[in-house]
Amino acid sequence: MTKKIAPSLLSADFSTLKTEIETVENAGADLLHIDVMDGHFVPNITLGPFIVSAVRKCTKLPLDCHLMIENPEKYVDAFIKAGANMISVHAEVIQDEKIFKTLRNQNIKVGLALNPDKPLNQIEHFLPHVDYVLIMSVFAGFGGQVYLSKSTQKIKDLVRLRRKQKLSFEIEVDGGIKLDNVSEIAHAGADILVSGSGIFKSKDVKATIQSMKEKANE
Ligand code: DX5
Ligand code: ZN
């Protein structure tokens, strides 16, 4: 299956957001990754449904909302109304699979996100209920961090687990992905590669996305 590149808007220039979105869309981005942070689950605050609905007006790309928030069940409806197509919630803040069922009933692709210190054996029971697993390759909270190399083995372990459980969820990887490590991460088994600073802080956004796609798929 073709690997997807998901620019993370966190590193975009929000003073010219529409242009930033058009640039990545025209360059071949497959979806837009939107980082929602609440200042509680992570020590940073970013944006909410209000901005997601503005982004929705600028693009036809699927909007992938990564909720780094406590009590996600309280807010998911607002993100759906704003135009989210994919919503991931963190394993660290949910007790059971109820939220996944609610979202799937509304035709939203649901993701389970996990921080680097969350082992796969603690989330195995959630896997049959999700469309994708978001492996954080940095600790959630900020863009521009360095890829944690142990994430590559975690991706490979998750691929094995997926095969063992005969499931078909996608594997999304998020944090520190740049041109120089995108092949390693894709070859380990990532299906969706999120990149914020690696794309938006590069000299030529279009060329970067195109070569990321090539490297991920070669
Ligand atoms: C971090 C966010 C990431 C971040 C990635 O908490 O979830 O999506 O924007 O940014 P880079 O690619 O710069 O590490
Ligand atoms: Zn993210």
Side-chain angles (χ1 to χ4, degrees), residues 1-212:
M1 209 174 46
T2 317
K3 313 276 183 180
K4 298 173 195 160
I5 300 295
S8 165
L9 284 188
L10 192 61
S11 293
D13 178 351
F14 271 64
S15 69
T16 56
L17 190 55
K18 189 166 194 269
T19 314
E20 295 276 73
I21 293 170
E22 282 164 4
T23 304
V24 296
E25 185 164 10
N26 293 336
D30 298 286
L31 43 101
L32 285 184
H33 183 85
I34 304 180
D35 289 303
V36 178
M37 304 187 193
D38 66 352
H40 292 277
F41 177 63
V42 286
N44 194 6
I45 300 179
T46 54
L47 51 87
F50 183 74
I51 303 288
V52 174
S53 63
V55 172
R56 179 74 289 164
K57 289 185 195 148
C58 302
T59 181
K60 295 216 158 41
L61 290 176
L63 302 184
D64 166 31
C65 293
H66 175 193
L67 303 189
M68 286 162 274
I69 64 176
E70 286 175 3
N71 303 313
E73 61 287 341
K74 267 196 187 170
Y75 301 97
V76 285
D77 281 347
F79 284 99
I80 295 170
K81 277 204 194 91
N85 305 96
M86 300 164 65
I87 294 181
S88 60
V89 296
H90 268 262
E92 295 85 0
V93 299
I94 53 167
Q95 270 71 51
D96 54 38
E97 69 274 9
K98 203 170 141 221
I99 191 163
F100 301 129
K101 292 183 176 158
T102 314
L103 290 171
R104 278 182 153 176
N105 284 339
Q106 298 182 79
N107 274 330
I108 298 294
K109 274 192 163 190
V110 297
L112 174 69
L114 40 146
N115 260 319
D117 59 357
K118 189 81 176 165
L120 294 177
N121 61 19
Q122 286 181 16
I123 54 98
E124 272 187 55
H125 55 295
F126 285 132
L127 298 177
H129 304 284
V130 302
D131 300 300
Y132 61 105
V133 175
L134 172 50
I135 293 197
M136 290 301 301
S137 41
V138 298
F139 279 90
F142 298 91
Q145 302 180 71
V146 175
Y147 180 81
L148 295 169
S149 56
K150 63 178 184 188
S151 317
T152 305
Q153 188 56 48
K154 199 173 188 183
I155 300 165
K156 292 179 182 167
D157 292 343
L158 185 57
V159 170
R160 213 168 296 129
L161 198 54
R162 179 172 65 186
R163 200 176 307 129
K164 195 175 123 204
Q165 292 199 359
K166 297 191 169 58
L167 294 169
S168 57
F169 57 80
E170 288 183 290
I171 299 174
E172 180 174 28
V173 182
D174 181 12
I177 301 183
K178 308 227 179 314
L179 261 183
D180 61 4
N181 58 11
V182 71
S183 335
E184 170 197 325
I185 300 161
H187 291 156
D191 303 297
I192 306 170
L193 298 122
V194 176
S195 176
S197 50
I199 288 177
F200 286 104
K201 307 282 188 227
S202 68
K203 274 203 193 99
D204 183 340
V205 168
K206 188 169 181 186
T208 302
I209 291 181
Q210 285 168 350
S211 29
M212 276 187 171

